[in-house]
Amino acid sequence: DAGVIQSPRHEVTEMGQEVTLRCKPISGHDYLFWYRQTMMRGLELLIYFNNNVPIDDSGMPEDRFSAKMPNASFSTLKIQPSEPRDSAVYFCASSDGQGSHGYTFGSGTRLTVV
Amino acid sequence: DQQVKQNSPSLSVQEGRISILNCDYTNSMFDYFLWYKKYPAEGPTFLISISSIKDKNEDGRFTVFLNKSAKHLSLHIVPSQPGDSAVYFCAASENDYKLSFGAGTTVTVRA
C-alpha cells in the first residue's frame, strides 16, 4: 500500500479564495482524521469519520471549514473563504480502529494564505 | 483547552547521551498513550505506546514511563543518535479512535 496520500503538498492562495485539500486513506482503514499543525497548538484534531460518516467535528474552527468523505477512498477538507490565520500544515490520517499503533499519517499539505 | 501538554518546545543532547522528553495530561479518562516522531516535510510516524495498566514499556533504545497519579509520562532515548533529531509528539486517547496531541518537542542530537 502507498500509505495515506494527500494532495497538494503545498498550496499558496490569496485571502478570500476557496481551498480544497484532498486525502486518500489506506485501503481497508475505516477511520479517517483531519489534523492541523501549528507552532502554538501542535496537532489539533479538526474532524474524523468512521465508515465515511462524520463522527466528531467539534474541532472545526468555524463555518468556513467543511469536510466530506463521499466514499471509503477519498476525503476533502475545504476552506471558504480562506484567511491568513488558516496558514498551517494540514494532515490526514487513517486507522483500522484496532491495535495500539494509532494512526498512519499522510505527508501533509502546507497551506499558505496571503 | 489542551489536554496533553509538552512544556519543553526543544531539547538539545549530545550523541550517545540520554534524551528525556516529558508530557503531562489533564484528562483522567485517557487510557492509552503514544509517542510519535516527525521529520521535516513528513507526517508523524508511530514510535512507541503504553497502556494505562502499565508503568513502563521498552522497545530497543526507546522507553516510555507512565505515572498515572501524576498524570505524567516520559520518553527516554538512550543512547541518542543523530537520526533521532526530529519533533516528538505525545498523544493520548480514551479509546483507539481519537487521539489528542501535545504541541511537540524538537530534539536536536549534537555530534
Side-chain angles (χ1 to χ4, degrees), chain A residues 31-95:
Chain A
Y31 287 86
L32 183 139
F33 306 83
W34 282 101
Y35 279 83
R36 176 171 68 176
Q37 182 189 8
T38 61
M39 290 297 293
M40 292 301 296
R41 298 184 64 81
L43 286 162
E44 297 177 275
L45 177 65
L46 300 177
I47 186 171
Y48 81 95
F49 296 83
N50 177 217
N51 292 322
N52 314 336
V53 176
I55 302 301
D56 183 349
D57 65 354
S58 60
M60 296 287 261
E62 48 198 272
D63 292 346
R64 298 185 298 106
F65 285 68
S66 63
K68 294 182 178 180
M69 192 165 185
N71 56 63
S73 59
F74 184 66
S75 176
T76 60
L77 178 67
K78 186 175 294 186
I79 308 172
Q80 165 65 17
S82 57
E83 297 181 3
R85 60 191 169 125
D86 302 330
S87 298
V89 181
Y90 291 80
F91 287 101
C92 176
S94 70
S95 167

Side-chain angles (χ1 to χ4, degrees), chain B residues 3 7 12 57 60 71 97 103 109:
Chain B
Q3 299 182 74
N7 293 319
S12 181
N57 187 28
K71 293 190 179 67
Y97 310 141
V109 180

Side-chain angles (χ1 to χ4, degrees), chain B residues 71-98:
Chain B
K71 293 190 179 67
H72 177 83
L73 66 155
S74 61
L75 174 68
H76 292 207
I77 307 172
V78 55
S80 300
Q81 298 175 354
D84 297 330
S85 295
V87 179
Y88 290 79
F89 290 98
C90 174
S93 74
E94 296 180 43
N95 54 51
D96 280 337
Y97 310 141
K98 179 177 165 181

